[in-house]
Amino acid sequence: MQGIRTVNRENWGNYLDLDAIVRQADAYLTAPSVHITEARAAQSPGSAHDYYSNGDYWWPNPGTPDGLPYIRRDGESNPGNFHEHRILLRRMRSRVAALAAAYRITGDQRYSAKAARLLSAFFLDERTRMNPHLLYAQAIPGVCDGRGIGVIDTLHLIDVAAAVQVLMSYPASETDSHVMQQVASWFADYLQWMNEHPQGVEERNEPNNHGICWFVQAAAFARVTGHRDLLDWCREQFKTRLLEEQMDLNGSFPRELARTKPYAYSLFTLDNLVTLTHLLSTPNENLWEFQLSDGRGVRRGIDFLLPYLANKQAWPYGRDVEYDAHWPCAMSFLLFAGLAYGSDKLLALWQTLDQKPQEAEVRRNMAIRQPLLWI
């Protein structure tokens, strides 16, 4: 894959626990298929095939008898909201990504065949498939049935797109190849929706982490569907809009520092900016080294946060209102940027920080769970 220094097969084990990946995939060989139709949201106006979720930080209104309309408490996640579709999507992602990674390691067709069955059940089977839109994502009871910022809920599908690309590149059978082509078509339909529907356009225009995550998804889905024109446009937006709009001169992200979780949001934004850099870089357009005239670029963003990864106690911007003790952990940007820049410091952090955090909220904010699919 372009944009990052190639890691030869014989060196994968220097950065990743290959045995653990295969063991995880072995456990998934007998796991049941995952369907979006397994859970139905009572408040959803859509069908059983339509993804639905509630906004994280919205709570029942204590001033009304029915709790409506919900009110916002920034940074405070409401455990009573409908999260089941998010969980199902991430569960499918984790299984497919692990199986595709194990197939890449071993060449064992059992892994690719199981991944194909899981993908078919989630995206293709007319009885159980998820429709390719997010009309009802991050709905707010009493306020709206869905929002543009709900598009961030499918950020975890970038690992699935990477898995499909791996499985398409090394098809184990004609049946598997056909499934991958059909799943790529699903991604093409979803990409069209998120690029043309008003809610998708709204998310694309968000001037914070949501905007970056839209471009990460668009680039990942454009790559697996061969949408080169959109990749070119995303690359142009990276250079002319995203850095200037979101990064301060010192490499920080001011809109994230203003949140009630400044540390986690800063890491999340940098992680996705690095992923976008990887996705969009080519031999002729090396975004790892690109910078604006004032020096702002992905390298400056890394330089800003690096001291606070090595020594979180020095962080001067306030503690996160929730889950502060669970950060930092080994996010994929440490590996990708460490390889791209040949940085022993970044690679050492990748090796020493926790690569498998158990806290669900932390895992939810890590888009890539199988870096082997990306290097």
Side-chain angles (χ1 to χ4, degrees):
M1 297 182 180
Q2 295 177 332
I4 192 168
R5 189 174 70 195
T6 300
V7 179
N8 295 328
R9 175 182 288 269
E10 60 269 22
N11 294 323
W12 289 348
N14 294 337
Y15 308 105
L16 300 161
D17 187 340
L18 304 186
D19 290 338
I21 293 173
V22 173
R23 287 195 303 270
Q24 185 180 47
D26 285 341
Y28 292 150
L29 285 172
T30 56
S33 295
V34 182
H35 317 120
I36 202 74
T37 53
E38 290 177 38
R40 186 71 186 269
Q43 294 174 309
S44 174
S47 74
H49 300 276
D50 295 323
Y51 180 97
Y52 181 87
S53 68
N54 293 131
D56 292 293
Y57 305 142
W58 293 84
W59 295 71
N61 190 331
T64 60
D66 60 0
L68 301 177
Y70 272 31
I71 59 173
R72 188 169 187 262
R73 289 157 50 177
D74 187 36
E76 300 180 42
S77 299
N78 181 358
N81 286 338
F82 184 86
H83 299 303
E84 283 81 352
H85 285 174
R86 287 180 173 181
I87 294 169
L88 290 168
L89 186 148
R90 296 201 302 270
R91 182 177 300 156
M92 177 276 301
R93 176 281 316 270
S94 296
R95 294 177 182 179
V96 168
L99 290 160
Y103 177 61
R104 194 175 184 213
I105 293 166
T106 67
D108 189 331
Q109 295 184 11
R110 293 180 303 156
Y111 301 122
S112 60
K114 180 65 174 182
R117 290 195 293 272
L118 292 174
L119 288 165
S120 182
F122 196 89
F123 294 106
L124 306 179
D125 191 318
E126 291 297 329
R127 299 167 299 173
T128 57
R129 74 192 295 263
M130 173 181 162
N131 288 332
H133 68 75
L134 245 60
L135 282 170
Y136 310 119
Q138 297 212 20
I140 306 171
V143 178
C144 65
D145 290 329
R147 296 180 293 162
I149 66 171
V151 174
I152 204 170
D153 281 13
T154 45
L155 180 63
H156 295 278
L157 290 184
I158 66 173
D159 245 1
V160 176
V164 170
Q165 192 164 11
V166 166
L167 295 168
M168 288 176 72
S169 300
Y170 310 100
S173 70
E174 185 174 339
T175 299
D176 291 356
S177 178
H178 181 61
V179 169
M180 297 312 140
Q181 291 170 9
Q182 288 184 298
V183 175
S185 294
W186 187 97
F187 276 109
D189 291 341
Y190 179 56
L191 181 60
Q192 181 176 4
W193 180 87
M194 60 181 280
N195 196 38
E196 296 180 1
H197 190 275
Q199 286 178 215
V201 173
E202 180 184 348
E203 178 78 334
R204 187 179 70 201
N205 292 335
E206 286 287 338
N208 60 5
N209 68 82
H210 280 269
I212 289 177
C213 290
W214 186 96
F215 279 94
V216 169
Q217 292 187 73
F221 305 155
R223 191 170 65 170
V224 77
T225 58
H227 199 327
R228 300 301 169 192
D229 289 345
L230 184 57
L231 282 169
D232 289 341
W233 183 78
C234 289
R235 197 171 292 116
E236 184 270 336
Q237 291 292 294
F238 180 99
K239 295 190 292 185
T240 62
R241 172 193 154 193
L242 293 180
L243 290 172
E244 183 171 356
E245 183 176 69
Q246 302 212 26
M247 184 179 286
D248 206 346
L249 290 176
N250 66 353
S252 68
F253 302 102
R255 290 180 178 85
E256 314 308 331
L257 292 178
R259 301 291 298 274
T260 59
K261 295 178 179 175
Y263 190 79
Y265 271 113
S266 293
L267 288 175
F268 177 74
T269 302
L270 179 63
D271 187 44
N272 283 285
L273 184 64
V274 167
T275 298
L276 186 60
T277 303
H278 163 60
L279 282 164
L280 297 178
S281 288
T282 71
N284 296 325
E285 293 275 5
N286 184 5
L287 298 184
W288 292 104
E289 299 298 338
F290 174 81
Q291 60 183 29
L292 301 177
S293 59
D294 55 22
R296 282 179 290 175
V298 68
R299 186 190 287 269
R300 182 167 291 184
I302 293 168
D303 288 344
F304 171 79
L305 273 175
L306 185 56
Y308 309 121
L309 284 162
N311 179 18
K312 184 183 176 183
Q313 297 307 312
W315 177 252
Y317 298 97
R319 300 301 177 190
D320 291 2
V321 68
E322 287 183 332
Y323 306 104
D324 184 72
H326 296 277
W327 297 100
C329 57
M331 303 176 84
S332 58
F333 81 86
L334 295 168
L335 176 61
F336 294 172
L339 293 171
Y341 295 125
S343 170
D344 291 338
K345 184 175 293 187
L346 289 170
L347 292 173
L349 283 168
W350 166 253
Q351 296 287 10
T352 57
L353 292 174
D354 186 4
Q355 294 183 16
K356 297 179 180 180
Q358 297 305 304
E359 172 54 53
E361 181 68 11
V362 173
R363 295 169 67 88
R364 186 172 73 85
N365 285 284
M366 299 171 66
I368 293 175
R369 302 299 299 146
Q370 288 294 343
L372 182 63
L373 299 173
W374 297 76
I375 61 176

